[in-house]
Amino acid sequence: MNTTTSKPKLGRSARRAVLVVHVTASASWLGLTLGLLALGTTAATTGSAATVEASVRAMLLFADWLLLPVALLTLLSGLVLALGTPWGLARHRWVVTKFWLTLATTAATAFALRPGVRAAVTAVAAGGPLPDAGDVLFGPVVSLSAYVFMTAISVLKPWGPTRRGRRLRARTRGASTAA
């Protein structure tokens, strides 16, 4: 059977369920990032050592217990949707862009944001000042920008199909006119 003309692998109910999971996880990631930004801003701008410590400790809780699982759920549910629906993973530029940005922000969460927050907590807990406001502000600002951008392209679906998407569309049209 020609895979370009076959139906999507996910049925309607499964597709809708995965879509709800994906949108919920994505919105959660966005909300957590807004929370991190508020806590990071508080830590970077307050004059109170106790408030700085409370803020970075709260950030660490978000980073250790919530961010990575939500990021991975967003990535996984997005992959399931891409591979199980007509959108495909490499058929439309906006899907490819979202995939790579989600992968990059997930990696940044694991390998940059979490260690930066952990370093800030260690320094503040030892009685020192916040070592670098960038450790608690840069990650949330970059992440928030990426999530807003990904939300916009999910709604607008710009840029059209990829080269592969155009080839698959042409084959599908050719197969349907030949039938």
Side-chain angles (χ1 to χ4, degrees):
M1 171 180 241
N2 185 350
T3 58
T4 61
T5 59
S6 65
K7 292 193 179 225
K9 297 168 188 82
L10 290 176
R12 180 184 165 119
S13 297
R15 185 186 77 247
R16 293 173 104 185
V18 175
L19 182 60
V20 167
V21 168
H22 183 67
V23 170
T24 301
S26 299
S28 297
W29 203 3
L30 180 68
L32 286 167
T33 301
L34 284 170
L36 283 173
L37 183 57
L39 290 166
T41 301
T42 300
T45 60
T46 187
S48 165
T51 302
V52 171
E53 185 171 358
S55 295
V56 295
R57 285 187 184 278
M59 290 180 77
L60 187 60
L61 285 173
F62 277 30
D64 279 350
W65 292 98
L66 297 172
L67 271 179
L68 201 52
V70 167
L72 292 171
L73 183 59
T74 301
L75 181 62
L76 179 64
S77 60
L79 273 172
V80 170
L81 283 171
L83 297 173
T85 66
W87 290 110
L89 185 58
R91 292 181 183 187
H92 300 274
R93 289 187 181 108
W94 70 270
V95 176
V96 172
T97 302
K98 270 189 68 176
F99 170 73
W100 286 110
L101 277 174
T102 302
L103 193 61
T105 52
T106 299
T109 294
F111 301 114
L113 188 139
R114 291 174 74 211
V117 170
R118 193 167 284 116
V121 169
T122 301
V124 170
L130 188 63
D132 182 7
D135 284 345
V136 295
L137 289 174
F138 184 72
V141 167
V142 170
S143 296
L144 183 61
S145 301
Y147 306 148
V148 169
F149 177 72
M150 287 188 279
T151 300
I153 65 174
S154 293
V155 172
L156 301 173
K157 298 173 179 42
W159 310 314
T162 62
R163 187 177 312 142
R164 180 178 189 270
R166 286 190 300 273
R167 276 195 320 265
L168 291 172
R169 184 181 292 165
R171 272 191 239 153
T172 302
R173 285 185 183 150
S176 65
T177 57

